[in-house]
Amino acid sequence: MLTYSSQRTPLESTPLIPEAFAARYRELGYWVEETIPDFLLSACRSHADRQGLVALAHSLPGKDGKPGQVRWTYGELARYATAAARRLSEAGVGPGDRVLLQLPNTAEYLVYLLGIFWAGALPVFCLPQHRQKELAHFARRTDAAAHVFSTATGGADFAALYETYAGELVGEGLVPPVVVDVAEPLEPAEQPLEAPVAVVRTGESDRPSEQVAFLQLSGGTTGVSKLIPRTHAAYLYSVRESARICGLTEDTRMLVVLPAAHNFTMSSPGILGAFHAGASLVFAADPSPQTAFSLIEAEQVTFAALVPPLAQAWIASAERRAPNLASLSTVQVGGAKLLPAVAARIQPVLGAHLQQVFGMAEGLVNYTRAGDPQETVLTTQGTPISPDDEIRVVDDYDRDVSEGQSGHLLTRGPYTIRGYYREDRANRDGFTEDGFYRTGDIVKVHPGGHIEVTGRAKDQINRNGEKIAVDEIEDLALTHPGIHDAVALGIPDKTVGERVALVVVPAPGTSFTNPRRELHDFFTAAGLAAYKIPERVEVYSSLPVTNIGKISRRELREQLLTHLKKQP
Ligand code: AMP
Ligand code: DBH
């Protein structure tokens, strides 16, 4: 395997929250002097003897010494993570470096997540489904020092993916990340580390806690995934408040079924919320209801977070099998719109309280609360974490709509970013001059302040809670020599919420015999993650246009939906 020395450029500075706001957030105690690596270490110390994690491990030894299920205290986890931090440092990962973390929900995910933080580096939260196109983009954009993956998990030949994109980067005169293969066994350290490698200063502030801590991915509103720079203090504020709002305690046993790298899973209240409270984490090896239900019973799970399609699958399965879910007390649903009809079946069928979560990796998170009336929990997506989360609902010209009307949601606050990492152009469009993030969501605010998501203005497809920017699919389709024009659309779907459809106009002289198959092969060869590949392809001879000559997505969608109704 190729190896490269890692002398990396410093993290670039990024638009942070201006001092006037920052001073207020400090004064109100929202932002405190703590970094994420320190937070993780002190959680591992204060909960050292409590059960921290039940998970499958694919390279670390389980209880009987063989790879399998691990059942660790926070103390044991810390000793493995200390070893991971050392391995990363030996691989040349230094303070301020960016590290692509690409692992499924196994014990190694947490071990290396902590290891990266403790080595003073910044994780970049890739998904196991990402392929060479996405990985190359993240490596380029972040000048990543290392790529952590495992050659021992299924799903893909990660070593081969690495070789492909690393070769591409070399061809461009860039230095690819070094490989850290998690399949190589790790001996736990005798003692957890004394102190993490200090955080380096990269931004304007001198405070370590106000530096960028990691880069989260966004479905974004345009183009390929953008990188979201979150700072230690702002993120930890959202974590502490989330843990409080969601009622986490030492007795909480949290099931993790959604991808661990998601912002929802990390922080709403998620994995970091569990660390804060000293709760136990139970990682499911796969998201199937069967696996989840047997873990819930065996591990006495109390708390779980789902996306709407998964909630529907749980309901359908529970109705048939009547599993023992007696321990389960809260089911969170977020990441995409939950229909009230589905919401209404959660308590009766799963026997747990529903909590709706409407969040975004850029910041703002809303929760329905324990004291909310049932109707509110079923029909709204909750209220913001912070009294200082500013919410504006505006029309197409940024004018506030009248109370209770639907409009574009803009937000600014103590844990919402002011700009993406290295995206000057997108930042001009994605944020207002006074720093509000344009969420691309259409919402209306109920009289009590509860937010209801009523639509979406951004050209994005939400498949199983995974966000897909239509531009990314269209831009790639247009590199196909036989395609003259292409429009990607989300079509409603019972099992995944929305599926990607692509309407193409062939170039003169081109005809497709099996367009879906041919384009599937084309997108796969181009290295696009499978979940973004169009599942429906329609060939049109021309596209509908508006009276100013732009492609009318609205009309195209209507045509397509009518067509699909007749020919599903
Ligand atoms: P991202 O910016 O990629 O983190 O995705 C966040 C987006 O997911 C939000 O802006 C919404 O479009 C969508 N989303 C998240 N939670 C919900 C929810 N509960 N209801 C409706 N949409 C949601
Ligand atoms: O969809 C999301 O990005 C999301 C949903 C719920 C999120 O980032 C969050 C909670 O924190």
Side-chain angles (χ1 to χ4, degrees):
M1 190 165 287
L2 306 169
T3 52
Y4 299 93
S5 79
S6 71
Q7 245 327 310
R8 298 295 161 173
T9 50
L11 192 79
E12 284 192 27
S13 68
T14 178
L16 292 181
I17 294 181
E19 180 55 29
F21 289 84
R24 175 178 164 80
Y25 301 150
R26 282 181 217 119
E27 202 174 294
L28 288 164
Y30 300 163
W31 290 6
V32 298
E33 287 283 336
E34 186 178 33
T35 65
I36 293 180
D38 287 336
F39 161 87
L40 294 168
L41 186 60
S42 74
C44 287
R45 284 196 184 126
S46 17
H47 314 304
D49 298 326
R50 297 194 57 78
Q51 187 188 303
L53 178 68
V54 176
L56 284 187
H58 52 255
S59 59
L60 301 170
K63 268 277 172 276
D64 54 0
K66 295 197 204 80
Q69 201 189 46
V70 303
R71 186 174 286 280
W72 285 339
T73 61
Y74 275 95
E76 286 170 307
L77 170 61
R79 295 200 293 122
Y80 278 101
T82 299
R86 292 196 182 127
R87 172 176 288 176
L88 287 159
S89 303
E90 279 158 20
V93 172
D97 280 346
R98 280 73 61 198
V99 176
L100 309 186
L101 175 63
Q102 189 187 28
L103 291 173
N105 293 7
T106 56
E108 290 85 353
Y109 177 88
L110 260 194
V111 166
Y112 280 85
L113 175 66
L114 270 58
I116 295 168
F117 277 123
W118 287 351
L122 289 76
V124 181
F125 289 101
C126 305
L127 296 173
Q129 301 96 303
H130 284 140
R131 294 294 173 259
Q132 66 269 26
K133 180 172 182 291
E134 290 93 4
L135 294 166
H137 172 67
F138 301 140
R140 276 190 203 103
R141 204 37 80 91
T142 65
D143 187 27
H147 179 181
V148 178
F149 61 79
S150 173
T151 52
T153 52
D157 181 346
F158 290 99
L161 285 180
Y162 172 80
E163 296 288 343
T164 309
Y165 87 79
E168 227 175 89
L169 265 58
V170 170
E172 296 163 19
L174 300 172
V175 182
V178 298
V179 170
V180 176
D181 184 358
V182 165
E184 285 165 32
L186 195 63
E187 284 299 321
E190 296 276 321
Q191 293 293 327
L193 79 177
E194 290 287 313
V197 173
V199 159
V200 294
R201 176 180 175 279
T202 47
E204 302 300 309
S205 167
D206 282 331
R207 293 180 167 81
S209 60
E210 290 175 27
Q211 308 300 321
V212 173
F214 60 84
L215 296 165
Q216 182 57 274
L217 308 184
S218 165
T221 46
T222 52
V224 286
S225 287
K226 290 186 240 329
L227 295 157
I228 301 173
R230 301 289 301 259
T231 66
H232 300 268
Y235 204 66
L236 287 176
Y237 166 58
S238 79
V239 167
R240 288 191 307 272
E241 283 304 290
S242 294
R244 185 183 60 75
I245 291 165
C246 302
L248 299 196
T249 70
E250 286 193 343
D251 298 325
T252 302
R253 301 179 60 79
M254 181 186 289
L255 186 70
V256 176
V257 274
L258 299 179
H262 275 190
N263 191 61
F264 185 10
T265 321
M266 275 311 285
S267 67
S268 300
I271 294 170
L272 294 188
F275 270 74
H276 177 69
S280 303
L281 290 161
V282 179
F283 278 19
D286 69 77
S288 71
Q290 290 86 327
T291 302
F293 292 168
S294 46
L295 273 176
I296 291 171
E297 184 170 3
E299 301 295 338
Q300 292 293 292
V301 165
T302 64
F303 192 98
L306 307 176
V307 289
L310 198 50
Q312 260 179 295
W314 277 32
I315 291 168
S317 174
E319 279 177 332
R320 269 178 289 129
R321 286 160 208 274
N324 177 0
L325 306 178
S327 59
L328 196 61
S329 83
T330 303
V331 170
Q332 293 184 304
V333 183
K337 174 78 179 192
L338 177 66
L339 296 175
V342 180
R345 291 165 71 203
I346 291 197
Q347 168 87 52
V349 179
L350 303 177
H353 298 291
L354 165 66
Q355 178 177 50
Q356 295 216 39
V357 190
F358 163 41
M360 50 209 75
E362 287 81 356
L364 181 73
V365 179
N366 305 276
Y367 296 105
T368 57
R369 314 292 164 112
D372 286 341
Q374 189 61 6
E375 181 65 15
T376 304
V377 174
L378 297 182
T379 58
T380 81
Q381 281 65 55
T383 54
I385 289 179
S386 176
D388 280 79
D389 278 320
E390 298 173 69
I391 300 293
R392 283 186 65 200
V393 184
V394 302
D395 66 12
D396 290 346
Y397 304 95
D398 280 358
R399 296 174 303 210
D400 292 297
V401 299
S402 37
E403 246 175 73
Q405 296 301 301
S406 272
H408 302 272
L409 171 65
L410 311 182
T411 186
R412 184 170 78 171
Y415 58 97
T416 295
I417 57 160
R418 297 293 185 116
Y420 294 103
Y421 184 61
R422 296 185 59 193
E423 294 282 355
D424 292 343
R425 254 226 354 248
N427 287 344
R428 279 195 289 279
D429 299 337
F431 296 81
T432 64
E433 291 211 335
D434 53 354
F436 280 81
Y437 168 53
R438 297 183 188 278
T439 66
D441 294 313
I442 305 292
V443 303
K444 76 179 185 202
V445 180
H446 289 228
H450 285 80
I451 298 175
E452 180 188 343
V453 181
T454 55
R456 186 172 60 208
K458 53 192 165 191
D459 285 328
Q460 193 179 71
I461 299 163
N462 192 327
R463 185 184 188 280
N464 253 336
E466 300 295 355
K467 320 304 187 297
I468 302 158
V470 297
D471 304 28
E472 184 179 9
I473 314 302
E474 292 168 0
D475 290 350
L476 192 55
L478 291 174
T479 67
H480 186 295
I483 293 180
H484 169 69
D485 214 340
V487 176
L489 299 164
I491 49 175
D493 180 84
K494 273 205 201 71
T495 42
V496 292
E498 285 178 333
R499 284 187 198 277
V500 182
L502 189 71
V503 177
V504 297
V505 178
T510 303
S511 64
F512 293 100
T513 35
N514 184 344
R516 197 191 65 80
R517 187 77 252 154
E518 287 169 56
L519 288 179
H520 180 275
D521 294 347
F522 169 76
F523 284 118
T524 305
L528 190 71
Y531 69 90
K532 299 178 183 171
I533 297 181
E535 291 169 89
R536 181 100 206 180
V537 176
E538 296 292 329
V539 180
Y540 281 33
S541 54
S542 65
L543 299 173
V545 289
T546 64
N547 48 20
I548 55 160
K550 278 180 41 171
I551 293 169
S552 171
R553 286 179 182 275
R554 200 167 51 84
E555 197 173 321
L556 190 58
R557 173 188 312 278
E558 278 162 21
Q559 285 181 10
L560 187 64
L561 290 180
T562 316
H563 170 74
L564 292 179
K565 258 192 213 119
K566 286 192 220 133
Q567 205 188 48

